[in-house]
Amino acid sequence: MLDKKAYSTIFYARRSVQIGINMSIKAVFLDLDGTLLNDEKIISQKNISTLKHFASKGIKFIVSTGRNYTGTLSVLNNINFIDYIITSNGAAVYDTHTGKPIITDFMSNGLAISLAESLDLENIMFDIFVNGEAYMEEKNIEFLKHVDTPKAIRSFILHNRIIVPSIMDYLITSKKDIEKVTINFKTLPDGTIFKRAETIDIIKSFLSLSCVTGGSNNVEVTLSEATKGHAMRKLVNLLNIPISDTAAMGDSENDLHIIETAGVGIAMGNADDMVKSAADFVTLTNEEDGVSYALENILNL
């Protein structure tokens, strides 16, 4: 039976939902970092086994992440039943069978250049996601050493990025539209996150852009309409799945809209308070196989 106690177990938070009684969940949207992945950026065997079980019962699982497409595939080697991946916080939805996006909300190349010109690129780490890949300026290999982020995330960034001499030159010469911009910052000895507040103020002056954090005090920039929640709505419309028959799990600000939009919103035990407050339920943490726990309690199959 479902325990409706505080944050160590799933509990009722927002809307009236019957658990395990006539539930008709057909699609579950799963964030990666802080949700399906543990702190070592690995999907536990418990989570994999639970996903396989419910997939065999007809539940469709869709990954919903701030990562780029290739960076998402790198952690899904043991899972071959995920047909779609929402990437870059909703800027693109990829079909895993073709490797091509079927839904896009890209930032124009000109807008990305205008944003880059407005920011202090010498004192921030300005990475761009383009066509499923992630690009980083060469100088930021050294810059990353001064970013206060877990070792596993730092390692992922270094192995996931394509290094270019200059991000600005790449934008100008490639003329490609942008899925997402990810900005990381130096942390000073006194704990101050250098240039973060000023950077956010500049981003907010671009009315067609929005910024959220995906964890570790970063800033992730997309078109305002490019959210995980909007991408979910577009995808389920293509799949003829009612939004009421969906569930979504996440932990950080970039998961807020999809959790609010889904038929059932589930926050991880390690989630930001704003995410917990918006969710219908709070499960265990990502280190405690919270995804598996939630699915076993909510899906009555």
Side-chain angles (χ1 to χ4, degrees), residues 3-4 6 29 38 54 62 107 134 139 171 221 226 232 238 259 279 284 286 288 296:
D3 186 349
K4 293 184 179 178
F29 291 74
N38 60 25
F54 287 111
I62 296 106
M107 188 188 312
K139 73 172 181 62
L171 284 169
V221 188
M232 175 176 68
L238 288 177
I259 283 175
L284 301 176
N286 65 316
E288 300 169 305
E296 289 171 347

Side-chain angles (χ1 to χ4, degrees), residues 11-23:
F11 77 110
Y12 173 81
R14 181 165 55 94
R15 294 171 294 197
S16 178
V17 179
Q18 289 182 302
I19 300 303
I21 302 174
N22 298 322
M23 290 288 285

Side-chain angles (χ1 to χ4, degrees), residues 13 38 106 138-139 166 202 224 245:
N38 60 25
F106 291 170
E138 189 172 12
K139 73 172 181 62
S166 164
I202 292 170
S224 297
D245 293 350

Side-chain angles (χ1 to χ4, degrees), residues 6 32 37 43 50 54 71 74 84 108 110 121 130 147 162-163 167 169 172 177 196 209 225 255:
L32 284 181
L37 302 181
I43 306 175
T50 302
F54 287 111
S74 67
Y84 304 99
S108 73
L121 297 190
V130 183
V147 175
I162 296 171
I163 307 301
I167 283 291
D169 287 348
I172 293 170
D177 293 338
R196 188 175 191 271
L209 299 178
E225 60 266 30
D255 300 306

Side-chain angles (χ1 to χ4, degrees), residues 25-32 35-36 51 55 58-65 72 76 79 81-87 92-96 102-103 228 231-233 235-237 239 241 245-250 255 258 291 295:
I25 298 299
K26 296 181 175 65
V28 179
F29 291 74
L30 298 170
D31 174 49
L32 284 181
T35 302
L36 185 59
L51 292 182
I59 300 297
K60 186 174 289 294
F61 290 102
I62 296 106
V63 167
S64 171
T65 179
T72 302
L76 295 180
I79 302 177
F81 49 80
I82 292 177
D83 299 320
Y84 304 99
I85 299 173
I86 295 174
T87 68
V93 180
Y94 282 83
D95 181 327
T96 61
I102 58 171
I103 296 169
K228 291 183 180 183
M232 175 176 68
R233 281 193 178 277
L235 180 59
V236 296
N237 283 341
L239 300 176
I241 297 173
D245 293 350
T246 64
M249 293 190 221
D255 300 306
I258 197 169
V291 167
L295 293 173

Side-chain angles (χ1 to χ4, degrees), residues 22-296:
N22 298 322
M23 290 288 285
S24 58
I25 298 299
K26 296 181 175 65
V28 179
F29 291 74
L30 298 170
D31 174 49
L32 284 181
D33 297 282
T35 302
L36 185 59
L37 302 181
N38 60 25
D39 289 348
E40 298 302 314
K41 304 305 174 185
I42 295 170
I43 306 175
S44 71
Q45 285 303 311
K46 174 65 173 175
N47 279 341
I48 290 173
S49 296
T50 302
L51 292 182
K52 285 183 177 178
H53 169 73
F54 287 111
S56 72
K57 301 291 185 178
I59 300 297
K60 186 174 289 294
F61 290 102
I62 296 106
V63 167
S64 171
T65 179
R67 292 188 181 209
N68 61 307
Y69 181 63
T70 57
T72 302
L73 292 181
S74 67
V75 296
L76 295 180
N77 292 333
N78 294 322
I79 302 177
N80 58 9
F81 49 80
I82 292 177
D83 299 320
Y84 304 99
I85 299 173
I86 295 174
T87 68
S88 299
N89 291 340
V93 180
Y94 282 83
D95 181 327
T96 61
H97 301 286
T98 65
K100 304 295 184 182
I102 58 171
I103 296 169
T104 59
D105 279 304
F106 291 170
M107 188 188 312
S108 73
N109 179 266
L111 180 56
I113 289 173
S114 294
L115 175 63
E117 289 175 338
S118 301
L119 298 175
D120 183 1
L121 297 190
E122 290 303 311
N123 287 297
I124 63 173
M125 183 172 167
F126 186 97
D127 295 353
I128 57 174
F129 292 7
V130 183
N131 294 337
E133 302 286 359
Y135 293 81
M136 181 173 79
E137 191 163 314
E138 189 172 12
K139 73 172 181 62
N140 288 329
I141 297 173
E142 179 65 27
F143 185 100
L144 188 58
K145 296 177 182 178
H146 303 283
V147 175
D148 184 15
T149 193
K151 182 179 179 180
I153 294 179
R154 186 177 291 109
S155 177
F156 167 75
I157 291 172
L158 286 173
H159 287 89
N160 175 247
R161 299 301 195 255
I162 296 171
I163 307 301
V164 295
S166 164
I167 283 291
M168 183 62 80
D169 287 348
Y170 178 84
L171 284 169
I172 293 170
T173 58
S174 74
K175 297 181 171 56
K176 292 179 180 178
D177 293 338
I178 308 302
E179 293 181 18
K180 189 184 81 164
V181 173
T182 294
I183 303 174
N184 282 287
F185 307 90
K186 291 180 181 178
T187 300
L188 302 181
D190 64 359
T192 301
I193 303 172
F194 189 55
K195 291 286 182 176
R196 188 175 191 271
E198 302 97 307
T199 299
I200 290 174
D201 286 342
I202 292 170
I203 295 167
K204 288 182 175 179
S205 71
F206 287 79
L207 300 182
S208 60
L209 299 178
S210 67
C211 63
V212 296
T213 180
S216 300
N217 295 308
N218 74 348
V219 172
E220 302 179 344
V221 188
T222 60
L223 287 181
S224 297
E225 60 266 30
T227 70
K228 291 183 180 183
H230 286 146
M232 175 176 68
R233 281 193 178 277
K234 292 175 182 179
L235 180 59
V236 296
N237 283 341
L238 288 177
L239 300 176
N240 294 314
I241 297 173
I243 201 73
S244 58
D245 293 350
T246 64
M249 293 190 221
D251 70 300
S252 61
E253 186 182 8
N254 65 5
D255 300 306
L256 189 59
H257 191 225
I258 197 169
I259 283 175
E260 292 173 332
T261 304
V264 179
I266 304 161
M268 302 301 294
N270 51 287
D272 297 341
D273 287 343
M274 71 173 74
V275 178
K276 289 178 178 177
S277 295
D280 297 303
F281 307 100
V282 175
T283 184
L284 301 176
T285 71
N286 65 316
E287 284 287 279
E288 300 169 305
D289 299 323
V291 167
S292 177
Y293 182 85
L295 293 173
E296 289 171 347

